[in-house]
Amino acid sequence: MGAVESTEGEREPLLIPAQPATNTTQPAFSRVYGRRWFVLTMFSLLAFMQGLVWNTWGPIQISAKHVFEFSSTDIAVLVMWGPVGYMPWLLFIWLMDKKGLRASLLLSAFFMVLGAAIRSVPLKDLHYRRWLIHGGQLLNGLAGPTIMSAGPLLSTTWFAPDQRATATAIASLVGYLGSACSFLIGPLAVPAPNDTEFRLLEPTSTIYWNQNHIGERIQFVLYAEFGMIAALFVAVLFYFPSRPPIPPSVAAASQRLSYRSSICRLLSNMRFLMIALAYSVPTGVVAGWAGVLDMILTPVQVSQVDAGWIGFWSIVGGCVFGVAMARFADYIRGMLKLILVLMFAGASLAATWFTLTCLTRLTHLPSTKATLYTSCILVGIFINSSVPIFLELFIETVYPVPEGITCGVVTFLSNLFTGLLLFFLTFYFTELSWLNWCLTGSCIFSLLLLLFFRESYDRLYLDVFVSV
């Protein structure tokens, strides 16, 4: 792009492939490997199991209380071990930056398999058994920084520019799908205590489960989850390369900033801080809000079962819609900001609708199961599906900061806002309408930041223009 035209010799590629390139849109020194889908599948399965293990006890809390003598506080702490496990996030993103994706993922998988193993030890002493279960949940939470942050790094390292957003969406959303599936797997595998009836072939027949049978079914779930995680750990141990022999794009092969320089660059970049708040505030608030959704919906006569199904379809809908929007973003590049603006305009409207519907005594809006289902599921779809689009926009905004460091910072901020919301909930738990207003305000706040955000696509420019 200088004033003097380059010579033929200067235009010769430095690295010559063994076979002539057939795709004229890719640079001569790049190559996309078919094994990238196997790598993405292994990572996604680990993320799925991490989310599944994290949400093991919530859906079967009544049975767990009956067998292990858990209190409501114990169940809440078991859920909180996930955000707590994110505290050493700086160590994990440093390991990801210095040693590569394989080393950090192996360490995370080791924590997962160790945690799943110790919580499966069938001790008779319930006091020590509860300690082992809490320790296992904490070890599973320690895998969170890598699992939640490494999706964009994997997509950049292995996938071509026209597939990166799709790969990021799959890697970053499948963990949410694991936590959603626990709402189905747990109640289907573990029966409720003796005061719950189960109808079989005859309408009048009833079976009552005893404590030993419930404990055996919970133990079966723990063993099954441990076996699946152990198999994945062995697969990653034997084959999970940090990077392909030849990078898939110019951006994947380019030099990145050092760890210390990256942290300083992120903290001093106002555009990054602006978009990081636009991501972390609504995603952090919706995580805490969804965790107590049954308590929010109780005053409007929605049962716990219906609240669970609402949460399930919110997550599943967000995952499906997120992958679809990421695939759309791969086809039409340079439109990430517009996609996010449309998503959060919809999220703001849906959250406002849900909040006003819950205040039916003041607003006189119709409050039916259909309206609550629709508005609540739309909130989950719009916010959850925005996660991979945000992650891609972060990478484009701060390039050449490494992907793992960038996503580690923003996911830490999201967990921080979730913790703050749950902290305030311990003081203001009698009337929970303020949580709905927090959700609505966070969506509007994010929408305003997105409208004033000035987007840039430095990584995309490098791949599309420099590589031609």
Side-chain angles (χ1 to χ4, degrees):
M1 296 188 295
V4 180
E5 183 179 2
S6 61
T7 64
E8 289 293 332
E10 292 172 337
R11 289 194 291 266
E12 288 294 327
L14 296 178
L15 297 177
I16 307 298
Q19 298 294 333
T22 58
N23 186 358
T24 58
T25 62
Q26 292 295 316
F29 51 84
S30 68
R31 179 180 174 183
V32 178
Y33 293 84
R35 73 190 76 166
R36 68 191 186 279
W37 297 109
F38 179 74
V39 172
L40 177 62
T41 299
M42 284 198 296
F43 179 88
S44 300
L45 289 175
L46 276 174
F48 180 89
M49 292 306 303
Q50 203 268 341
L52 185 70
V53 171
W54 169 74
N55 200 33
T56 296
W57 301 101
I60 59 172
Q61 58 176 323
I62 298 177
S63 300
K65 290 177 181 178
H66 188 74
V67 173
F68 300 114
E69 299 179 1
F70 280 134
S71 65
S72 298
T73 303
D74 286 320
I75 300 296
V77 172
L78 288 171
V79 177
M80 283 297 296
W81 286 129
V84 170
Y86 213 91
M87 296 303 293
W89 62 280
L90 283 171
L91 173 64
F92 284 95
I93 64 174
W94 174 86
L95 181 65
M96 197 185 309
D97 180 61
K98 296 298 182 182
K99 303 299 181 180
L101 184 57
R102 172 180 170 81
S104 56
L105 193 63
L106 267 177
L107 179 61
S108 298
F110 173 75
F111 283 138
M112 289 175 60
V113 73
L114 181 61
I118 66 171
R119 70 175 194 158
S120 303
V121 178
L123 292 182
K124 297 297 184 181
D125 191 318
L126 293 182
H127 175 73
Y128 293 106
R129 182 68 190 275
R130 288 194 295 268
W131 275 104
L132 289 179
I133 292 174
H134 279 282
Q137 294 298 121
L138 174 60
L139 287 171
N140 183 76
L142 289 174
T146 300
I147 296 296
M148 296 178 65
S149 306
L153 174 61
L154 186 147
S155 64
T156 300
T157 304
W158 285 92
F159 287 83
D162 61 346
Q163 295 177 340
R164 278 198 299 242
T166 303
T168 298
I170 296 173
S172 59
L173 291 177
V174 74
Y176 294 86
L177 187 61
S179 62
C181 288
S182 63
F183 285 105
L184 298 181
I185 296 175
L188 287 176
V190 180
N194 291 345
D195 56 351
T196 303
E197 296 183 354
F198 292 86
R199 302 292 181 182
L200 295 180
L201 296 178
E202 299 180 9
T204 58
S205 63
T206 302
I207 285 184
Y208 295 95
W209 304 105
N210 58 36
Q211 182 173 345
N212 291 334
H213 180 77
I214 298 174
E216 290 173 359
R217 299 302 296 176
I218 294 178
Q219 193 66 34
F220 170 77
V221 172
L222 298 181
Y223 281 146
E225 292 176 349
F226 167 66
M228 289 185 285
I229 295 174
L232 288 173
F233 174 73
V234 172
V236 173
L237 181 64
F238 278 95
Y239 183 79
F240 194 96
S242 288
R243 60 184 60 87
I246 301 177
S249 64
V250 176
S254 61
Q255 185 69 29
R256 304 303 178 90
L257 297 179
S258 65
Y259 178 81
R260 180 178 297 180
S261 300
S262 298
I263 298 295
C264 295
R265 172 78 68 91
L266 293 178
L267 297 180
S268 61
N269 189 331
M270 294 305 299
R271 292 175 58 243
F272 168 74
L273 296 177
M274 184 179 181
I275 197 67
L277 286 176
Y279 164 81
S280 57
V281 172
T283 55
V285 169
V286 78
W289 174 81
V292 293
L293 185 59
D294 57 333
M295 298 172 59
I296 295 173
L297 293 174
T298 298
V300 290
Q301 287 76 48
V302 175
S303 68
Q304 183 175 352
V305 175
D306 286 329
W309 278 109
I310 290 174
F312 172 78
W313 287 116
S314 298
I315 297 174
V316 172
C319 293
V320 174
F321 191 69
V323 173
M325 293 306 299
R327 194 65 193 136
F328 175 76
D330 277 331
Y331 279 111
I332 304 178
R333 305 180 194 177
M335 304 288 287
L336 298 179
K337 174 184 174 180
L338 177 60
I339 294 174
L340 288 173
V341 167
L342 295 176
M343 283 183 173
F344 274 89
S348 300
L349 292 174
T352 303
W353 181 19
F354 176 79
T355 301
L356 296 179
T357 302
C358 290
L359 297 175
T360 183
R361 295 180 180 178
L362 300 177
T363 61
H364 302 290
L365 291 175
S367 178
T368 64
K369 184 180 293 187
T371 58
L372 290 172
Y373 258 84
T374 304
S375 59
C376 192
I377 290 175
L378 284 176
V379 170
I381 288 176
F382 284 125
I383 296 181
N384 292 330
S385 62
S386 70
V387 171
I389 308 298
F390 262 121
L391 295 180
E392 285 293 300
L393 187 58
F394 291 141
I395 305 304
E396 297 287 352
T397 301
V398 300
Y399 183 85
V401 175
E403 291 82 356
I405 297 177
T406 303
C407 297
V409 171
V410 295
T411 50
F412 167 76
L413 290 176
S414 179
N415 279 272
L416 178 63
F417 282 106
T418 301
L420 289 175
L421 186 75
L422 295 175
F423 174 76
F424 285 113
L425 183 62
T426 60
F427 296 99
Y428 306 99
F429 56 86
T430 55
E431 205 279 323
L432 299 180
S433 61
W434 63 273
L435 281 173
N436 297 333
W437 288 112
C438 285
L439 178 66
T440 304
S442 68
C443 294
I444 297 174
F445 173 74
S446 179
L447 178 61
L448 292 176
L449 289 179
L450 287 169
L451 289 173
F452 288 101
F453 175 72
R454 181 174 55 86
E455 61 188 331
S456 62
Y457 297 92
D458 298 335
R459 184 182 61 169
L460 181 61
Y461 175 85
L462 183 68
D463 283 326
V464 173
F465 293 98
V466 176
S467 61
V468 174

